[in-house]
């Protein structure tokens, strides 16, 4: 595993941790708004402002000006497909279902990404990595089996959002061949915010963006900053590694959300998630080649150690 690939793996794990906290925190935050659409728009605007600050601070404006029309179109498309519609769908779904259910559905992202990445990005995997996908599917299935999981309206909206995010991830991976991660992330949130504001204007909800109490402002800044962190680490990750591998690593966010929910909400530790959590971790370690690299490292070091003892 090269240094670039290692960097991508670390960034993907960082995104998974952020995602686990994000779903849990947003479940509480969205309750302060009468409309989940207003909350989503406001939060995304905050994230877009953070990303705009990064572009200015790190002198990315010249790169932005040099983008071709084709790449501008890709950024706008990413904003529409990934930064607007799915957010409306997901947070409406989050308001109608449990945080753990929404987290589980979002973690099926790797399945949809794989189905799209194979034909459109021509991504290739080893036999062990294909087996790892099966292990991850088993882990996700056991994490929330059909007997305790119903596809209600909230779950359906979350699933629709997840499929759209899978489409956006494939488009983003393709765009990252020519555009830096910071600009792709900025395009997603900036143009996504514009589309969201247009939606609020059409539905007569745009005044809600300015109706802020201290509690709302605090949750908004926290949620926006978390989204900024997610966006920043995610696009940097898929720049360096397969989008399927990165999306697969995201599944560990589901047990993180569940554990947080048990500590701060239900006060009951969900023992039933222990086994599927270990299965998911096992699958992630193999698909990210961490286990293979550890084995290779040990095999390489053992002969040297044996030689030194002689």
């Amino acid at each position: 595993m090269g240094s670039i690939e290692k960097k991508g793996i670390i960034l993907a794990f960082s995104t998974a941790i952020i995602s686990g906290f994000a779903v849990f925190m947003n479940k509480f935050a969205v309750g302060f708004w009468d409309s989940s659409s207003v909350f989503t728009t406001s939060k995304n605007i905050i994230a877009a402002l953070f990303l705009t600050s990064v572009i200015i601070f790190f002198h990315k404006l010249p790169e932005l000006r040099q983008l071709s029309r084709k790449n501008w179109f890709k950024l706008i498309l990413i904003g529409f497909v990934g930064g607007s519609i799915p957010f409306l769908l997901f947070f409406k779904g989050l308001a109608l279902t449990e945080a753990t259910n929404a987290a589980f559905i979002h973690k099926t992202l790797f399945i949809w990404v794989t189905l799209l990445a194979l034909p459109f990005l021509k991504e290739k995997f080893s036999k062990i990595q294909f087996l790892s996908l099966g292990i991850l599917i088993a882990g996700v299935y056991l994490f929330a089996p059909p007997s305790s999981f119903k596809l209600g309206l909230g779950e359906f909206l979350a699933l629709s959002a997840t499929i759209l995010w899978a489409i956006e991830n494939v488009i983003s991976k393709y765009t990252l061949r020519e555009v830096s991660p910071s600009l792709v992330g900025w395009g997603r949130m900036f143009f996504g915010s514009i589309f969201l504001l247009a939606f609020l204007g059409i539905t007569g909800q745009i005044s809600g963006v300015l109706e802020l109490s201290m509690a709302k402002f605090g949750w908004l800044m926290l949620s926006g900053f978390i989204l900024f962190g997610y966006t920043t680490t995610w696009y940097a990750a898929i720049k360096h590694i397969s989008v399927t591998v990165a999306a697969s690593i995201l599944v560990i966010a589901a047990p993180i959300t569940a554990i947080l929910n048990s500590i701060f909400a239900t006060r009951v530790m969900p023992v039933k998630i222990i086994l599927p959590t270990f299965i998911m971790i096992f699958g992630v370690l193999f698909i990210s080649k961490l286990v293979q690299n550890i084995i290779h490292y040990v095999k390489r070091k053992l002969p040297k150690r044996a030689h030194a003892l002689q």
Side-chain angles (χ1 to χ4, degrees):
M1 184 185 293
S3 59
I4 292 178
E5 191 174 2
K6 286 180 182 177
K7 180 180 179 181
I9 295 294
I10 292 171
L11 286 166
F13 272 103
S14 300
T15 307
I17 294 171
I18 293 171
S19 178
F21 276 88
V23 175
F24 174 75
M25 298 294 290
N26 287 331
K27 176 65 179 179
F28 289 98
V30 72
F32 285 84
W33 275 259
D34 295 328
S35 168
S36 61
S37 300
V38 173
F39 166 69
T40 301
T41 302
S42 302
K43 171 179 60 63
N44 285 23
I45 290 173
I46 296 298
L49 290 174
F50 278 126
L51 288 162
T52 301
S53 299
V54 167
I55 287 176
I56 295 172
F57 184 79
F58 288 99
H59 309 290
K60 291 285 186 177
L61 287 176
E63 182 185 349
L64 195 64
R65 296 191 194 100
Q66 293 171 8
L67 290 178
S68 64
R69 289 184 180 181
K70 183 180 179 181
N71 285 329
W72 273 110
F73 174 76
K74 290 177 187 175
L75 293 184
I76 294 171
L77 183 62
I78 289 169
F80 182 70
V81 176
S84 57
I85 296 177
F87 277 100
L88 292 172
L89 295 174
F90 187 80
F91 281 97
K92 183 62 178 178
L94 187 60
L96 298 174
T97 188
E98 295 294 327
T100 49
N101 285 356
F104 157 69
I105 292 171
H106 183 256
K107 295 315 158 272
T108 64
L109 178 69
F110 76 97
I111 299 174
W112 314 108
V113 167
T114 301
L115 293 174
L116 292 169
L118 288 173
F120 293 106
L121 296 176
K122 309 298 182 184
E123 291 192 348
K124 297 179 180 180
F125 308 99
S126 65
K127 292 180 180 179
I128 292 179
Q129 285 180 303
F130 267 117
L131 177 62
S132 301
L133 288 172
I135 293 172
L136 285 172
I137 291 172
V140 170
Y141 176 84
L142 291 172
F143 190 85
S147 59
S148 62
F149 185 84
K150 296 180 180 179
L151 189 62
L153 178 59
E155 288 81 4
F156 176 76
L157 293 175
L159 178 60
S160 300
T162 301
I163 293 173
L164 284 173
W165 273 321
I167 295 171
E168 178 249 329
N169 281 326
V170 172
I171 297 172
S172 297
K173 178 66 175 179
Y174 182 76
T175 305
L176 284 165
R177 295 173 181 176
E178 299 178 350
V179 183
S180 67
S182 57
L183 292 190
V184 173
W186 171 82
R188 184 209 202 198
M189 303 315 305
F190 179 79
F191 292 113
S193 296
I194 292 175
F195 287 124
L196 288 171
L197 283 171
F199 172 81
L200 293 186
I202 293 170
T203 56
Q205 302 179 73
I206 199 164
S207 61
V209 176
L210 302 176
E211 296 173 359
L212 290 178
S213 62
M214 286 301 294
K216 282 185 175 181
F217 179 77
W219 278 110
L220 198 60
M221 293 301 294
L222 178 61
S223 298
F225 184 73
I226 290 174
L227 179 56
F228 161 73
Y230 178 97
T231 304
T232 302
T233 55
W234 176 248
Y235 290 104
I238 64 173
K239 169 73 174 180
H240 301 304
I241 60 175
S242 155
V243 68
T244 299
V245 171
S248 298
I249 292 173
L250 279 184
V251 301
I252 63 173
I256 291 174
T257 300
I259 292 170
L260 289 171
N261 195 56
S262 68
I263 295 173
F264 298 103
T266 65
R267 308 293 175 124
V268 177
M269 187 64 187
V271 178
K272 64 180 182 180
I273 73 166
I274 294 176
L275 176 60
T277 296
F278 275 108
I279 292 174
M280 286 189 282
I281 292 173
F282 185 74
V284 165
L285 290 176
F286 268 98
I287 200 167
S288 60
K289 298 181 181 179
L290 290 175
V291 172
Q292 297 94 309
N293 278 276
I294 291 172
I295 293 173
H296 178 70
Y297 177 81
V298 171
K299 285 183 176 179
R300 196 156 44 87
K301 289 294 182 180
L302 281 177
K304 294 181 179 179
R305 181 68 61 85
H307 179 74
L309 292 173
Q310 291 177 356

